[in-house]
Amino acid sequence: MKPSNVLRELDDAEPGMILSGPVLDAHGETLIAGGAELTEAMLAMLRARGLERVSVLAAPPAEGDLEAERRYAQERISQLFRNSGAQPASSELMQSVRSYRLGEGA
């Protein structure tokens, strides 16, 4: 499964969270590079500059949650394609969506 981004209020952000992209100021200048691990000092600096939100990587699910998440994704894909029949284009699209959502293949 691919990591997902979560937009967090700055007051809800915590040291140790990983930025999903760069944090930019009002002029488009990079304040903190994407992929950086937030520290208390970084959070204080962002608050001082008046930023309200940051985009961070969602925490990876626990092992049991990961299996439940995969089952849910498979069930949801089956539901979405329930009326597609055996049409080759629909089958190919469903397989592409399944590969993307479940992080399988290239």
Side-chain angles (χ1 to χ4, degrees):
M1 314 256 326
K2 295 176 178 31
S4 60
N5 303 334
V6 176
L7 191 60
R8 286 283 184 112
E9 296 293 323
L10 203 54
D11 291 337
D12 295 331
E14 300 175 4
M17 291 181 166
I18 306 297
L19 291 172
S20 61
V23 177
L24 308 176
D25 67 10
H27 304 289
E29 298 293 319
T30 301
L31 298 174
I32 306 173
E37 183 176 329
L38 287 173
T39 65
E40 196 60 57
M42 289 175 179
L43 291 168
M45 181 267 298
L46 295 174
R47 285 185 192 97
R49 289 181 169 263
L51 272 80
E52 297 177 1
R53 293 175 208 82
V54 289
S55 183
V56 296
L57 295 177
E63 194 59 41
D65 293 342
L66 182 59
E67 187 56 38
E69 191 174 317
R70 289 180 64 81
R71 275 195 312 275
Y72 173 78
Q74 289 174 333
E75 290 168 6
R76 180 72 179 129
I77 292 165
S78 295
Q79 176 70 15
L80 290 170
F81 286 89
R82 70 188 177 281
N83 295 324
S84 65
Q87 299 174 21
S90 295
S91 296
E92 188 173 332
L93 178 60
M94 184 172 78
Q95 185 55 44
S96 294
V97 170
R98 180 173 281 127
S99 294
Y100 175 79
R101 295 291 298 159
L102 301 176
E104 300 169 350

